[in-house]
Amino acid sequence: YHWDFSFLNDYGSYYWTGIKKTLEVSLLAVLSGLVLGTLVSLLRLSGLWLLRFIGTVYVEIVRGTPLLVQLFLFYYGLPIFLGFDIGIFTAAYLTLTVNSGAYIAEIMRAGIQAVDKGQMEAARSLGMSKGLAMRQIILPQAFKNVLPALGNEFVVVVKESSVLSVIGYAELTYQANAIRGATYISIEPMLISALIYFVLIFTLSKLLGIGERRLKTSD
Ligand code: ARG
C-alpha cells in the first residue's frame, strides 16, 4: 500500500475548522451540562418524591438510550414539536448537553453525598437555611471533590462529539470524512483525525493531572 498524505497540503485547513468545532461544542455542552446536571442532582437528593422521580427518569432515559439515537430524536423531532427549524449546531449542542447533563448529575450527586454530614449540620446550626448551606457550604466542596471526574467527562464528550458528524455538524470526524469523499483517499484522513483526537485528549488529561495536583496541595 502506498501511503499518501499529500492531501494535507490542500485540506489541512479542514482539520483546523474541525478542531475548532469539536472543542467549541464540547466545551459549551459540558458547561451547560454542569448547570443542568447540578440542578438534576439536587432534584435527585430532594425530600420530595416527585422531584426525585423526575430526576431519576431523566437520568435513566438518557443513560438507557444511545447518544446517536438521542441525536436523531432531537434533530428530526424537535423541529416537529417546536414548529421551526433549530439548525444543526443547536441540535448537536442540545443533544450533547442533555446527554452529558445526565452523567454529570450522577457525578454531582456522588460528590454531594461524599461531603461529611457534619458540614450541613454545622451550617444549619449557624442559622443557615438548607438552600444557603447547600450553595455556600456543600456544593463548593462537592465541586472540588468531583473536579477530576468532570475533567474525565469533558474528555468523554470530546470523543463522543464525533457522533455529531452524522447530522452534518462539521467537527473533526466530519472533516476527515469530507476529505475522504473529496480525495478518494480513505484511511489516511481518518488516521490524521485519530492522531489529532489523541493529541487533544492527551494534552487535556496532562492539564487535568496538573490541576488535580494543585488542588491536592492547596488542601
Ligand atoms: N457511547 C455512549 C452512548 O452512546 C456515550 C455516552 C456519553 N457519555 C457521557 N459521559 N456523556 O450512549
Side-chain angles (χ1 to χ4, degrees), residues 62-63 65-68 70 99-100 103 153 156-157 160:
V62 169
R63 283 202 304 195
T65 55
L67 177 63
L68 179 59
Q70 293 162 10
N99 182 276
S100 188
Y103 290 89
E153 172 66 15
V156 169
V157 165
E160 292 288 332

Side-chain angles (χ1 to χ4, degrees), residues 59-101:
V59 169
E60 292 303 335
I61 288 180
V62 169
R63 283 202 304 195
T65 55
L67 177 63
L68 179 59
V69 173
Q70 293 162 10
L71 181 66
F72 283 146
L73 286 174
F74 273 74
Y75 183 58
Y76 294 114
L78 274 185
I80 296 175
F81 285 106
L82 295 174
F84 56 87
D85 195 11
I86 59 168
I88 291 174
F89 174 79
T90 311
Y93 160 71
L94 277 183
T95 308
L96 213 51
T97 297
V98 167
N99 182 276
S100 188

Side-chain angles (χ1 to χ4, degrees), residues 94-116:
L94 277 183
T95 308
L96 213 51
T97 297
V98 167
N99 182 276
S100 188
Y103 290 89
I104 293 178
E106 288 301 271
I107 294 173
M108 289 306 293
R109 184 169 67 96
I112 291 169
Q113 282 174 326
V115 174
D116 195 286

